[in-house]
Amino acid sequence: MESMLAVVIGGLYAAGMYLMVRRSIVKMIFGLALLGNAANLLIFTVGRLTRGRPPHVPADGVLSSLPVADPVPQALILTAIVIGFGVQAFALVLIKRVYQTVGSDDQDEMTTENQEQGKSS
Amino acid sequence: MKNLLFLPLIIPLATAVLGLLAWNRRTVQRWLGIGSATLLTVVGSSILLQVQQQGILSAQAGNWPAPFGITLVADTFSALMLLASGLMGLCVTVYSLADADSEQESRGYHPLLQVLLLGICGSFLTGDLFNLYVWFEVMLIASFVLLALGGKREQMEGAIKYVALNLIASAFLLAGIGLLYGVTGTLNMAHLAIKLQEIPHTGTVPVIAALLFCAFSIKAAVFPFYFWLPASYHTPPIAVITIFSALLSKVGIYVLIRVFTLIFPLEALAGQPLILGAAGLTMLFGALGAIAQPELRRLLSFCVISQIGYLLMGLGLMTPLALAGSIFFMLHIMAAKSALFLTTGLIARMTGTTVLKELGGLYRRYPLLAVLFLVPALSVAGIPPLSGFWGKLALVQAGLQSKQYLLVAVALGVSVLTLYYLVTAWIELFWKNQPADAAELHRLVPVRRYQMLVPALLLALVSLLAGLLPEPLFRLCRTAAEQLVHNDAYIKAVLGVMQ
């Protein structure tokens, strides 16, 4: 199970990195989302996979046998997913605004270096 | 009194919420902002006082005992940073009263500034690595919006670079934290320090350290990860850049110092040459970049990078003197560089431009403004007796003691370059004759003028005072550095008896 997840994580990282270096900002945002998911899966995997043993304390208050699944990585991932969701929502709105003002989703066309610079309002 | 540590989080959070509730009442939002920043300054100084009297303070959120819950910790370093954040927040909020236009204010500028302060204070106080990630994200999302607020074309371009690079840094940070939890089974920074002493620093541990170093270096704009900063810092309003350069990049350095003194002691990783090299190159490339800039805001952005190198130099040397020098330098640079940025904003307001070629002859009309630019500029360059000199003196002394002659030479050479480009900028602005086609100067309404002048003046005075009377502040920095190097007290304050 671990080795399969390792391959999946590696694939996600590779795909994310590949998308990040593309010029299109839409692909860049997709790449960011993939990177975030890869990091989440990474936390899940290195936090030890334990199958079918939820970290619940039974009604009598005694845990029958160890090991049970570690709840901390799951809590971390949950937090990271929520944060990632917010950040990606912002990023989507941002690229829409960028597209509206610049008229292109190509990063190479997004530079005012050669135009008149520094005019303050 | 331990609940004092929660106040720097509660004050900006409550203010942001109240500010959002008063969405259309700009006056209410403004006063809330000023009140909150003032309170933050007061709380910051009382935390500093308490830390001086009682040693390192810690508070457990929800009373969960240390390695399991989230701990807030304040040692001298973080208390100093909190106080500085409060002061910077206050200056920038007052400055924004005149600088932020009504469109920005009506889109929630003041509450966002509070959210930014919340994230910054949280990063300074937290004793838990994952919690640090959360505060970073709070800080980032506020900074994203502040950067893009206004929606001008150049702002959009700056924002997309800033957002992309910072999100990559966050992904690295998250991966590093996850791996660290996998290796040690804890996230509490003090507990991590103990756990990592028990395992050999081979295999995964250096990889984790490298991931964290890259993540924090991107946030702090350290060589070779600095290129996003000049690409985005020249675009938003001056008040926003001021708080970004004063606090955001310094949070990155703060966390680097914290993590690499407490969790991963540098000696064990043999990471010192790497950090020293990065420090020297950051100084050099920042200064070289600044020399080439024909525009004041870009010039100052490169100057920010160059100064980051000095802060990193203290961490790389790792002696108490060097760290004290770094901390002193960090406080100095917050005051002096912000005074420069705020004065630049004032000039931009009056002349309508920050391109050096189009400016000139301002000395004749505004001699006070010329002094207000010159004093912090000389201070940043490190001319005695201004504050920058003492920070650099300590760093150079520590460098000589550690026999890092090459780095010391680079640091001194970059000082000369800094003096060169800042004085050139000053001459361009004030000394040379006004170009014939220069636009007419705008006269500002008196209220606005004071709202912009007073914060700049205050920060320049702080820098001047810290230069003339460096002893008390330097003693504080020295205490902070001792606490960083001998981290037993920190670990004990967090974990108490259970070790």
Side-chain angles (χ1 to χ4, degrees):
Chain A
M1 188 68 186
E2 273 89 349
S3 42
M4 197 190 83
L5 273 173
V7 172
V8 171
I9 294 165
L12 279 176
Y13 266 115
M17 289 292 176
Y18 176 70
L19 286 173
M20 293 284 313
V21 297
R22 303 303 300 270
R23 291 211 306 253
S24 155
I25 45 174
V26 178
K27 287 180 181 145
M28 193 184 76
I29 298 297
F30 285 160
L32 281 174
L34 288 187
L35 279 191
N37 287 341
N40 287 341
L41 268 183
L42 181 71
I43 299 177
F44 186 56
T45 314
V46 295
R48 311 282 185 282
L49 299 173
T50 317
R51 218 168 174 167
R53 290 213 163 257
H56 291 159
V57 181
D60 55 6
V62 186
L63 283 171
S64 51
S65 67
L66 291 167
V68 293
D70 186 350
V72 178
Q74 299 178 17
L76 300 187
I77 294 167
L78 196 59
T79 317
I81 288 175
V82 174
I83 292 175
F85 178 73
V87 171
Q88 280 157 28
F90 173 81
L92 282 176
V93 176
L94 181 72
I95 59 168
K96 181 159 182 278
R97 282 301 300 273
V98 169
Y99 182 72
Q100 280 172 347
T101 45
V102 181
S104 162
D105 85 328
D106 189 332
Q107 289 185 60
D108 279 358
E109 287 173 25
M110 262 172 235
T111 171
T112 35
E113 295 288 332
N114 302 323
Q115 299 170 20
E116 197 177 19
Q117 46 177 241
K119 280 275 182 197
S120 173
S121 56
Chain B
M1 275 318 278
K2 289 197 162 170
N3 292 338
L4 194 66
L5 289 188
F6 290 100
L7 281 181
L9 307 179
I10 293 171
I11 295 168
L13 180 63
T15 316
V17 171
L18 288 175
L20 289 176
L21 288 177
W23 184 251
N24 284 324
R25 307 212 180 120
R26 280 164 48 199
T27 334
V28 179
Q29 287 185 343
R30 292 170 154 201
W31 282 110
L32 277 172
I34 293 178
S36 152
T38 317
L39 264 178
L40 208 57
T41 316
V42 174
V43 171
S45 30
S46 63
I47 288 179
L48 185 60
L49 213 65
Q50 291 246 333
V51 172
Q52 290 311 299
Q53 286 164 354
Q54 307 172 8
I56 300 171
L57 299 174
S58 70
Q60 317 291 350
N63 260 340
W64 291 94
F68 306 112
I70 288 168
T71 315
L72 297 183
V73 199
D75 61 355
T76 313
F77 188 21
S78 38
L80 275 171
M81 287 295 125
L82 275 181
L83 176 57
S85 315
L87 205 61
M88 284 306 309
L90 185 59
C91 287
V92 169
T93 312
V94 172
Y95 190 87
S96 310
L97 298 182
D99 190 49
D101 55 36
S102 58
E103 194 197 335
Q104 283 165 343
E105 280 194 325
S106 66
R107 298 224 170 121
Y109 176 83
H110 286 288
L112 277 168
L113 212 53
Q114 295 299 320
V115 177
L116 189 71
L117 281 176
L118 169 69
I120 290 165
C121 291
S123 312
F124 286 147
L125 276 174
T126 186
D128 183 282
L129 209 53
F130 191 77
N131 194 232
L132 180 75
Y133 164 76
V134 175
W135 289 126
F136 261 40
E137 297 299 301
V138 168
M139 196 165 80
L140 276 184
I141 200 103
S143 68
F144 291 167
V145 185
L146 279 174
L147 198 68
L149 208 63
K152 278 181 287 184
R153 185 187 156 116
E154 50 165 14
Q155 268 182 305
M156 288 297 140
E157 293 163 8
I160 199 97
K161 292 165 191 159
Y162 179 82
V163 168
L165 258 296
N166 275 292
L167 288 184
I168 295 178
S170 295
F172 275 27
L173 178 57
L174 194 58
I177 291 173
L179 286 171
L180 198 54
Y181 181 78
V183 172
T184 59
T186 181
L187 289 167
N188 184 296
M189 297 209 269
H191 201 210
L192 275 172
I194 298 175
K195 285 273 186 178
L196 278 173
Q197 280 166 10
E198 294 161 4
I199 53 175
H201 281 196
T202 50
T204 343
V205 178
V207 176
I208 297 168
L211 274 174
L212 294 184
F213 179 72
C214 289
F216 298 138
S217 297
I218 295 177
K219 313 242 171 198
V222 168
F223 177 88
F225 305 111
Y226 64 77
F227 42 82
W228 59 269
L229 192 144
S232 58
Y233 266 29
H234 64 98
T235 56
I238 284 282
V240 174
I241 319 176
T242 309
I243 198 141
F244 279 18
S245 86
L247 296 177
L248 281 197
S249 45
K250 305 303 176 286
V251 172
I253 288 285
Y254 168 88
V255 177
L256 273 176
I257 293 182
R258 175 71 73 210
V259 165
F260 287 99
T261 51
L262 181 67
I263 303 180
F264 301 103
L266 273 180
E267 292 91 345
L269 285 169
Q272 270 170 308
L274 193 74
I275 291 196
L276 289 175
L281 290 170
T282 311
M283 287 177 209
L284 196 62
F285 279 88
L288 291 179
I291 287 175
Q293 295 309 313
E295 195 256 334
L296 199 52
R297 284 187 299 177
R298 283 173 195 257
L299 184 144
L300 289 176
S301 304
F302 273 102
C303 182
V304 170
I305 298 173
S306 173
Q307 308 302 323
I308 294 278
Y310 288 94
L311 304 178
L312 203 60
M313 177 178 167
L315 172 64
L317 294 171
M318 265 310 241
T319 57
L321 180 64
L323 283 170
S326 263
I327 297 168
F328 188 91
F329 202 81
M330 200 181 312
L331 296 167
H332 137 75
I333 209 79
M334 281 183 183
K337 185 58 66 58
S338 305
L340 274 183
F341 267 120
L342 295 182
T343 316
T344 304
L346 198 56
I347 293 169
R349 261 297 140 137
M350 290 191 308
T351 60
T353 178
T354 47
V355 181
L356 290 173
K357 217 190 310 174
E358 297 170 13
L359 287 160
L362 286 173
Y363 180 78
R364 206 162 290 161
R365 298 277 294 272
Y366 301 103
L368 174 69
L369 205 60
V371 177
L372 192 55
F373 192 89
L374 188 64
V375 170
L378 291 180
S379 178
V380 169
I383 300 292
L386 295 161
S387 55
F389 171 71
W390 302 105
K392 274 183 192 166
L393 182 70
L395 285 172
V396 165
Q397 246 178 358
L400 290 178
Q401 280 169 10
S402 312
K403 301 200 170 53
Q404 296 288 347
Y405 300 118
L406 181 64
L407 188 65
V408 168
V410 171
L412 292 176
V414 168
S415 288
V416 177
L417 289 181
T418 312
L419 185 66
Y420 165 72
Y421 66 73
L422 283 175
V423 169
T424 312
W426 187 82
I427 290 172
E428 291 274 321
L429 279 173
F430 295 100
W431 208 246
K432 79 165 189 232
N433 284 328
Q434 199 172 6
D437 55 343
E440 192 63 23
L441 289 183
H442 301 282
R443 285 204 65 81
L444 298 173
V445 232
V447 184
R448 277 203 160 184
R449 195 161 56 210
Y450 288 120
Q451 281 165 350
M452 293 174 95
L453 253 181
V454 170
L457 208 58
L458 180 72
L459 289 171
L461 270 181
V462 168
S463 163
L464 191 64
L465 264 182
L468 294 176
L469 303 165
E471 190 56 35
L473 185 59
F474 200 83
R475 206 177 300 133
L476 270 179
C477 296
R478 189 77 200 213
T479 321
E482 294 286 348
Q483 282 173 352
L484 286 172
V485 174
H486 307 290
N487 52 25
D488 318 347
Y490 183 98
I491 294 171
K492 205 169 165 219
V494 175
L495 295 179
V497 277
M498 85 151 268
Q499 281 206 26

